Amino acid sequence: MSQSRRQARVFIATGEVSGDLQGSMLVAALHQQARDRGWDLHIWGLGGDRMEQAGMELLGNTSGIGSVGLWESLPYVLPTLRHQRRVKNHLRQQPPDVVVLVDYLGPNLGIGQFLDRRFPHIPVVYYIAPQLWVWSPSSKPAKQLASLADEILAIFPAEAKFFRELGACVRWVGHPLLDRCDAMPSRQQARQRLGITEGQTAITLVPASRRQEIRYLLPTMFAAAQRLQAQQPQVQFWIPLSHPTYRQPIETAIEKYQLNARIASRQDAIAAADLAITKSGTVNLEIALANVPQVVIYRVSSVTAWIAKHILHFSIPYMSPTNLVEMKPIVPELLQDEATPENITQQANRILQNPARYQQILQDYAQMRQALGNPGVPQRAAKAIFHHLENIDSPNKQEAAWPRKPK
């Protein structure tokens, strides 16, 4: 008689557009690992459309829920709490074999603490830890995360070092965007698909992956684009959509600022560009890995900025992940009051009109890429998660006894 196929249940929780993108790559890799091993795998949790398409049962869509700052987060408190209640009820009724938390600090810490109280035997893997190692290294959340996680799958070397020093079990797997960018079209292919002619300057604008950025970044960015267009009438702007709900405000802004701009696929818009003017975030690494110079801008509400400066004494060396990897100013950053149309235009022209500056950025990108590891990141992360599954003796989580690290 043939043995029955082994079954496993994995719960994954993440939020925002970047979490959905990176989570979808992990979901696909987990299903591939299950097929290779002859396992039946059920993945469910919080994420977005990409994760659902990759094979995850979606309990709640969190790709549109995300913000930076105290004031900006208020509209998302109630939706987040509703997702938390739904998840906790589901976890009580159907405890998984392994829990994987992806970025999304506040909500995921809440889930982790619930599991620690209710199901301390369920292994918790944290993949893509929030950048506490940069902006809050001595904070309580950093210590909580290190304590809750049975293993942290780090994507940056500095992140791995930081959490090891806090006593966490850490495995450095590299950055998953290495795999996504391996599939990116060449510059020639992308420009041909978009119909960009020889000698035409293509600038990609990335204004938002969060709704607050439509309000605080888009007007400044598009005003800078308007200035560049007046100086270089042949310029063509390309705008990728991070979420379908942003199409209408972006199209309205294109008309308002009278830009020669079109919405295009994310990969074509990035690969074809001579320059990107972009929000701060994971997309900065995607742009860097495509060898496209960029100007990074970051703005929050004046209330949040005042609280961060005068009460929280918030200070970080760099905002863009591109600069954080090497801890040096590879690309220009314009933060808060410095992010003006005049300054953005000036920085963009410094890159476009100075071949030496352009080439220096590309050389720094090459060095930065080496620090991100090697492709195959989602597969390495999936194998690490399966290691936890293989160490579970019983499919009944209330009887299983995975030895958690000492608290």
Side-chain angles (χ1 to χ4, degrees):
M1 179 181 291
S2 61
Q3 284 188 326
S4 61
R5 291 165 63 92
R6 186 164 178 179
Q7 297 183 346
R9 301 183 303 277
V10 176
F11 169 82
I12 302 178
T14 190
E16 303 187 307
V17 172
S18 61
D20 182 37
L21 170 62
Q22 294 159 348
S24 69
M25 298 167 70
L26 178 63
V27 170
L30 285 168
H31 280 302
Q32 184 60 57
Q33 282 291 314
R35 288 190 292 270
D36 293 345
R37 296 162 189 257
W39 288 33
D40 290 326
L41 182 66
H42 178 217
I43 304 175
W44 55 278
L46 297 175
D49 295 338
R50 287 189 177 99
M51 293 176 75
E52 186 174 36
Q53 291 163 8
M56 184 173 93
E57 179 189 347
L58 213 58
L59 279 186
N61 195 317
T62 56
S63 62
I65 298 178
S67 63
V68 173
L70 303 173
W71 183 262
E72 292 84 350
S73 66
L74 291 179
Y76 304 110
V77 171
L78 288 178
T80 298
L81 289 175
R82 283 196 290 268
H83 285 312
Q84 294 272 300
R85 281 198 300 270
R86 187 181 304 118
V87 162
K88 289 174 183 178
N89 287 335
H90 210 286
L91 287 169
R92 289 187 190 99
Q93 296 166 12
Q94 299 182 41
D97 297 300
V98 167
V99 167
V100 182
L101 305 177
V102 183
D103 203 354
Y104 207 38
L105 176 61
N108 274 347
L109 271 186
I111 291 172
Q113 289 167 340
F114 166 79
L115 288 163
D116 198 43
R117 293 190 304 268
R118 183 68 175 81
F119 300 105
H121 47 268
I122 295 179
V124 175
V125 177
Y126 219 118
Y127 176 52
I128 310 179
Q131 290 182 345
L132 292 162
W133 53 279
V134 176
W135 46 265
S136 191
S138 60
S139 67
K140 184 178 178 181
K143 296 171 184 175
Q144 290 174 325
L145 192 157
S147 175
L148 288 169
D150 291 277
E151 186 170 30
I152 294 173
L153 304 180
I155 62 173
F156 295 108
E159 171 196 352
K161 179 176 182 291
F162 170 76
F163 281 109
R164 283 196 188 103
E165 290 174 351
L166 286 180
C169 175
V170 182
R171 185 191 311 239
W172 178 49
V173 294
H175 204 291
L177 283 183
L178 290 168
D179 293 82
R180 178 171 171 81
C181 289
D182 270 1
M184 186 169 281
S186 69
R187 171 182 165 85
Q188 183 179 359
Q189 289 171 331
R191 289 174 77 90
Q192 185 175 10
R193 277 207 288 258
L194 296 178
I196 300 172
T197 60
E198 186 70 26
Q200 186 177 33
T201 300
I203 298 178
T204 292
L205 307 176
V206 187
S209 63
R210 302 180 178 101
R211 187 167 295 278
Q212 73 187 70
E213 291 164 337
I214 293 289
R215 178 178 179 183
Y216 294 117
L217 289 184
L218 186 147
T220 301
M221 184 182 291
F222 277 33
Q226 190 179 52
R227 285 171 167 262
L228 287 166
Q229 184 172 278
Q231 296 168 2
Q232 304 179 46
Q234 83 285 1
V235 72
Q236 170 79 56
F237 298 102
W238 300 94
I239 307 170
L241 280 183
S242 60
H243 198 274
T245 57
Y246 302 149
R247 177 180 288 274
Q248 189 275 326
I250 286 175
E251 288 180 341
T252 299
I254 290 172
E255 185 175 350
K256 175 183 176 180
Y257 290 92
Q258 298 183 329
L259 296 182
N260 181 20
R262 288 169 53 192
I263 292 172
S265 76
R266 183 185 182 98
Q267 290 195 327
D268 282 345
I270 291 174
D274 297 292
L275 175 75
I277 301 173
T278 172
K279 63 178 287 295
S280 175
T282 303
V283 69
N284 302 157
L285 285 177
E286 197 170 351
I287 291 166
L289 291 171
N291 276 332
V292 175
Q294 59 191 299
V295 177
V296 178
I297 67 174
Y298 178 85
R299 290 179 68 95
V300 291
S301 72
S302 57
V303 173
T304 294
W306 190 92
I307 292 172
K309 180 178 180 179
H310 297 284
I311 297 179
L312 302 179
H313 305 292
F314 181 75
S315 177
I316 57 172
Y318 301 105
M319 180 62 70
S320 167
T322 303
N323 292 340
L324 286 171
V325 174
E326 291 291 311
M327 285 295 177
K328 70 177 187 180
I330 295 175
V331 299
E333 296 181 354
L334 297 170
L335 311 182
Q336 203 59 21
D337 293 340
E338 293 180 352
T340 64
E342 297 82 1
N343 288 344
I344 296 168
T345 304
Q346 183 182 59
Q347 290 293 341
N349 282 328
R350 280 181 181 174
I351 295 172
L352 289 171
Q353 297 173 9
N354 186 341
R357 174 68 175 130
Y358 200 99
Q359 288 303 314
Q360 183 61 56
I361 291 175
L362 298 189
Q363 290 174 23
D364 289 340
Y365 279 171
Q367 183 178 349
M368 181 213 68
R369 183 177 185 127
Q370 293 178 1
L372 295 180
N374 298 309
V377 174
Q379 290 76 16
R380 287 194 289 276
K383 287 179 181 179
I385 293 164
F386 263 87
H387 174 74
H388 290 269
L389 290 169
E390 289 168 341
N391 281 278
I392 295 170
D393 297 323
S394 169
N396 185 337
K397 287 307 302 170
Q398 296 184 359
E399 296 175 3
W402 171 261
R404 295 176 65 86
K405 65 183 180 64
K407 300 294 183 186

